[in-house]
Amino acid sequence: MVDTIYVENAINDHTRTALVLDRYPKAEVVGLEHYGEVFNSSKQNFRLQKHNPSLILAAKGGKRVMPTPAQYETGGGAHYYFSHMLNCVYDCRYCFLQGMLRSANYLLFVNYEDFMQDIRSVAEQHKGDDKPVWFFSGYDCDSLAYEPVTGFAEYFIHQFQHIDNAVLELRTKSTQIRSLLNTEPQDNVVVAYSLSPESIVSAVEKGAPPLSKRIEALKRLQDHGWRIGLRFDPIVWHADYLQDYEEAIPQVFESLKPDAIDSVTLGGFRLPKGFYKTMHNLHPEHWLFNAGLTEEEGMVVYRQDIEEQALKSVGELCERYVDERRVFAYSSFNAKEAEASGGM
Amino acid sequence: MLNKSHAKTETVQESASPLRLNLICALNCEAKSLIDKLRLKKQNQTVFSTYVGHWGVADQSVLVTVLITGVGAMSMAAGVAWLAAVQNEKYLNSVWLNVGTAGHGEFKLGAPFIVSMSQGVFSSRRFYPPQVARRAVRLSPCMSLNAPSSDYPETGGIDMEASAFFDVACRFTQAELVQSFKVVSDTPSQGIEHLTANIIAEIMQPHTEAVLVFSKALLLLAENAVQKPNNELVMPQIRATHSQRQQLNDRAKRLAFSLPAEKIDHLSSELLRLSQSVSDEKKAANLLLNYLDTAILNLQPTLHDSLASATQKHAQSRITQHGVG
Ligand code: SF4
């Protein structure tokens, strides 16, 4: 339960600010000029803040919609991402946010309307493209985990109805799908779930719903008519990982209609070197940061033999259920532009 | 062959530091009830007045220092810097808590608060101490002035030290562990004229327990700040450059966190054996590095073990959230 909420003075009167504050009647509110004074200040400790994060409400200025790294390909056209929130209610040990951000406080940008305006203008620039332009959310947070407070999906899905050359992909591990089940499914929205075997969920995805609950949510979404995607990313390597994936993958695909799965993506654990160093300092005791890793062009990644074996074997397990053209594997060893794992 | 007596051993990881709590007050009367409650002993011949002792929290012994800095930003800054210099850097996760009185435009006389934002009159810099530790008292902003004042802000507090305290103390520990606990000593209807040392001590006294409860919540966080391996890898003393030593330490730390005690012991003896077997002293560091790299390459975590060790670590954390031991 959030007990401290920082609010930028400029958005004191914003309707969404009031809605969020209503959710936390007992929290103390602290005013501030700019979120950076709290979020970016020095000597903060991410690990400590994870014990009791505060919430910061702010307005996002500057660039709100960014192109994604090249390898983010899932079969669409141009790719962009936007982040209405930084940080996450879950605590995955591999999440790159720990290495990228100084603070673990939840930073929520309430000016959704400005994000939408930018999304519309980017979509407009791609009017003539063969394929729709793809917008990812959940790059710096989980798209749905905080839905009851943020109303994010409810707002954005509705807005995307009116952009016919754009697709919105919501990346999540969350089971907060009520707003989606209360809405008519839209062709230009994909709900993509990050999935891991149960043993990995309990070992490194603290706070996130168990695999069985994610499968249940996926099934309900698919039955309701939503497009879904599956993300085995990162594949977490350990002594018995293959056995774990051999159990988990049939469990996932046999609960769903594989033919109606939009795409399946796979990737190994990978982080920019600077993020890795910060994360290793925060959790020097964690096995995830101490075994099986190597450095490759500024990224810390699984050793090539480990990554190749993981992508190949997990990929093959998936291809038993879906056509290989819908399975995308991100290799750290031939990627032009690498991307960190976690954060979705 | 290295001379046997030359191949001494050194422990790579320093042993766990004790928890340390620094309670910083401007005046002796602000600290009196804490000094009495914790039965602290005055230190002789120190630049600033200090009182030290041990506080038993659960089954941990916390080193407590009360520092009396004197009034005003300069005294506070000098006092905090002095204490940090006297204590040494191995207390990187010390808790620093400023305890004192403040004027307030809104809260009643005797009301306690934790500073949510602090700003000094001479600086545009504002400090927002991260509110991670559980608290049982309200938050309030507090402006640090350079002289006593009876001009109260509508909704905040005023004091003369908090801003300098944050500015300096944050350099020595994690920001989450630097906080200020204030008790309202004067208000628009009861100004500073009524304040004497005795009255201040009386105002502070009822909040002694609340200060300790908050201190304990901060110590609980400090305990979580850095993990140390349960087992230590013993490194033979060899000739090595600074960068080789850093690399050896890094590898040793990884292995100490990743291997069970018996494997660490085995590895320590292997390293000693290797260092003694090398004929050219200059090659010893590289030989050990290669050996450790191979050991790391062969690490293959099993989730079963890691879950068990996580549970054990959790059980070892002995300071609990509630109650003062
Ligand atoms: S990896 Fe995703 S779900 Fe996990 S903590 Fe990061 S943002 Fe949240």
Side-chain angles (χ1 to χ4, degrees):
Chain A
M1 182 57 118
V2 167
D3 59 26
T4 310
I5 305 180
Y6 297 91
V7 181
E8 273 187 355
N9 297 334
I11 54 141
N12 255 335
D13 299 328
H14 198 289
T15 333
R16 213 162 276 117
T17 303
L19 288 173
V20 174
L21 292 181
D22 274 354
R23 304 272 320 184
Y24 297 107
K26 289 193 179 144
E28 291 202 69
V29 177
V30 180
L32 80 172
E33 276 308 309
H34 187 267
Y35 70 84
E37 290 182 284
V38 170
F39 199 70
N40 298 332
S41 70
S42 59
K43 296 290 271 188
Q44 298 183 84
N45 183 307
F46 197 99
R47 178 175 179 147
L48 290 187
Q49 290 191 5
K50 264 294 183 191
H51 288 271
N52 182 24
S54 300
L55 172 60
I56 305 169
L57 302 180
K60 172 86 175 127
K63 254 191 135 161
R64 283 176 281 256
V65 179
M66 322 279 242
T68 61
Q71 62 160 278
Y72 242 81
E73 177 65 41
T74 48
H79 291 72
Y80 293 85
Y81 75 94
F82 65 101
S83 298
H84 71 292
M85 182 167 165
L86 303 185
N87 276 321
C88 181
V89 295
Y90 306 140
D91 189 13
C92 303
R93 196 47 58 246
Y94 52 73
C95 179
F96 78 92
L97 296 174
Q98 306 163 92
M100 184 176 81
L101 305 173
R102 286 181 176 181
S103 168
N105 290 332
Y106 310 142
L107 173 56
L108 175 66
F109 297 117
V110 297
N111 52 334
Y112 294 177
E113 295 73 12
D114 296 330
F115 279 94
M116 255 342 282
Q117 203 171 340
D118 293 359
I119 288 168
R120 269 186 224 104
S121 86
V122 170
E124 194 59 38
Q125 291 160 26
H126 289 278
K127 258 295 189 228
D129 291 4
D130 291 346
K131 290 181 172 179
V133 50
W134 214 273
F135 293 92
F136 292 102
S137 103
Y139 186 81
D140 298 314
C141 66
D142 182 289
S143 294
L144 298 179
Y146 216 25
E147 183 64 15
V149 175
T150 64
F152 162 78
E154 199 174 345
Y155 174 84
F156 280 85
I157 287 174
H158 181 71
Q159 296 296 318
F160 266 73
Q161 257 179 1
H162 313 294
I163 319 179
D164 52 14
N165 69 327
V167 174
L168 170 66
E169 177 169 321
L170 304 168
R171 287 219 173 168
T172 189
K173 293 186 174 97
S174 168
T175 53
Q176 300 281 2
I177 53 171
R178 193 179 308 163
S179 64
L180 288 159
L181 296 179
N182 288 338
T183 313
E184 273 302 296
Q186 262 167 245
D187 245 10
N188 67 343
V189 175
V190 177
V191 189
Y193 269 77
S194 297
L195 302 172
S196 298
E198 217 70 87
S199 58
I200 291 170
V201 174
S202 9
V204 295
E205 295 180 354
K206 193 172 156 197
L211 175 67
S212 58
K213 293 276 179 218
R214 290 183 223 176
I215 297 176
E216 206 178 296
L218 271 164
K219 187 171 159 32
R220 292 179 73 191
L221 289 168
Q222 199 180 42
D223 288 347
H224 193 72
W226 289 102
R227 285 169 70 179
I228 58 164
L230 307 182
R231 311 285 172 251
F232 296 98
D233 187 3
I235 296 169
V236 176
W237 172 80
H238 62 96
D240 311 310
Y241 85 99
L242 202 49
Q243 199 183 317
D244 288 350
Y245 281 90
E246 276 166 358
E247 274 170 34
I249 284 177
Q251 206 185 329
V252 172
F253 285 96
E254 286 166 17
S255 310
L256 304 169
K257 289 170 242 160
D259 289 346
I261 292 170
D262 220 63
S263 64
V264 179
T265 60
L266 317 170
F269 175 57
R270 57 203 183 277
L271 290 165
K273 195 177 161 196
F275 292 5
Y276 168 80
K277 268 182 105 169
T278 308
M279 289 161 71
H280 190 217
N281 280 338
L282 287 174
H283 298 277
E285 77 287 4
H286 208 285
W287 53 269
L288 191 68
F289 304 117
N290 288 322
L293 300 168
T294 185
E295 217 184 296
E296 177 71 17
E297 294 185 8
M299 297 289 283
V300 173
V301 298
Y302 280 142
R303 286 188 340 243
Q304 190 160 8
D305 57 324
I306 295 177
E307 195 196 81
E308 275 175 10
Q309 198 218 17
L311 294 181
K312 184 167 176 288
S313 39
V314 178
E316 281 170 5
L317 289 169
C318 295
E319 284 164 18
R320 288 186 196 163
Y321 299 93
V322 290
D323 189 288
E324 62 178 0
R325 280 167 302 179
R326 279 184 289 138
V327 180
F328 300 86
Y330 302 144
S331 161
S332 312
F333 294 88
N334 49 32
K336 287 261 171 349
E337 223 176 316
E339 177 55 38
S341 48
M344 302 210 184
Chain B
M1 185 91 157
L2 276 179
N3 182 331
K4 269 214 166 166
S5 64
H6 192 190
K8 284 184 264 167
T9 56
E10 57 182 324
T11 300
V12 172
Q13 281 80 34
E14 56 173 77
S15 54
S17 331
L19 289 170
R20 188 180 267 280
L21 170 65
N22 293 324
L23 298 165
I24 316 296
C25 304
L27 299 169
N28 219 305
C29 50
E30 291 172 321
K32 189 175 179 309
S33 62
L34 286 164
I35 295 167
D36 292 348
K37 170 88 185 175
L38 298 172
R39 297 203 188 104
L40 305 179
K41 298 263 173 313
K42 188 165 173 43
Q43 298 296 98
N44 292 321
Q45 295 171 335
T46 54
V47 180
F48 289 87
S49 287
T50 51
Y51 298 79
V52 300
H54 287 266
W55 178 30
V57 181
D59 57 353
Q60 298 240 51
S61 178
V62 176
L63 284 167
V64 185
T65 302
V66 166
L67 169 75
I68 313 297
T69 63
V71 174
M74 283 292 237
S75 305
M76 176 56 73
V80 171
W82 172 80
L83 184 61
V86 169
Q87 298 174 344
N88 66 49
E89 62 175 359
K90 75 176 171 214
Y91 301 112
L92 276 177
N93 299 307
S94 305
V95 169
W96 291 78
L97 180 61
N98 167 225
V99 182
T101 50
H104 208 285
E106 183 193 358
F107 293 178
K108 287 197 182 108
L109 201 71
F113 67 91
I114 286 161
V115 174
S116 59
M117 187 281 286
S118 165
Q119 186 177 15
V121 273
F122 293 124
S123 159
S124 58
R125 178 147 185 220
R126 288 181 283 255
F127 297 92
Y128 291 85
Q131 297 304 322
V132 183
R134 299 286 171 188
R135 57 177 191 268
V137 299
R138 290 177 68 179
L139 291 175
S140 169
C142 187
M143 196 77 179
S144 294
L145 310 175
N146 63 341
S149 167
S150 46
D151 203 2
Y152 297 90
E154 225 171 89
T155 55
I158 44 171
D159 81 335
M160 291 172 65
E161 294 88 19
S163 163
F165 166 76
F166 285 113
D167 201 346
V168 183
C170 277
R171 294 162 206 248
F172 304 113
T173 189
Q174 322 278 338
E176 292 75 15
L177 306 179
V178 181
Q179 300 289 336
S180 177
F181 187 113
K182 297 284 185 189
V183 180
V184 177
S185 56
D186 48 288
T187 65
S189 57
Q190 276 180 295
I192 44 176
E193 314 76 47
H194 76 288
L195 293 176
T196 62
N198 280 344
I199 290 177
I200 290 175
E202 274 170 31
I203 288 173
M204 294 301 295
Q205 205 284 329
H207 303 289
T208 312
E209 202 60 27
V211 170
L212 293 180
V213 169
F214 188 53
S215 300
K216 196 176 162 196
L218 292 166
L219 288 163
L220 171 70
L221 276 185
E223 202 196 15
N224 280 302
V226 163
Q227 298 290 321
K228 300 226 179 258
N230 290 336
N231 314 302
E232 289 167 351
L233 184 61
V234 181
M235 189 71 74
Q237 221 171 55
I238 51 164
R239 275 182 65 171
T241 62
H242 178 66
S243 111
Q244 282 172 327
R245 211 163 279 288
Q246 276 187 327
Q247 291 177 46
L248 284 166
N249 272 318
D250 170 70
R251 310 306 196 262
K253 195 164 150 191
R254 272 161 209 262
L255 289 162
F257 274 121
S258 310
L259 293 173
E262 62 282 6
K263 287 204 175 154
I264 293 283
D265 287 348
H266 173 73
L267 203 57
S268 300
S269 2
E270 275 303 290
L271 292 175
L272 183 62
R273 191 187 58 73
L274 272 180
S275 68
Q276 289 169 343
S277 70
V278 70
S279 52
D280 181 352
E281 268 190 59
K282 287 184 196 151
K283 290 192 178 148
N286 279 337
L287 188 74
L288 298 196
L289 260 178
N290 283 340
Y291 187 79
L292 293 178
D293 277 339
T294 314
I296 288 174
L297 209 62
N298 290 328
L299 284 177
Q300 207 181 14
T302 58
L303 290 193
H304 185 75
D305 290 351
S306 61
L307 284 175
S309 93
T311 319
Q312 192 192 346
K313 276 239 147 64
H314 185 71
Q316 278 167 357
S317 176
R318 284 167 304 202
I319 297 186
T320 50
Q321 189 71 56
H322 304 289
V324 177

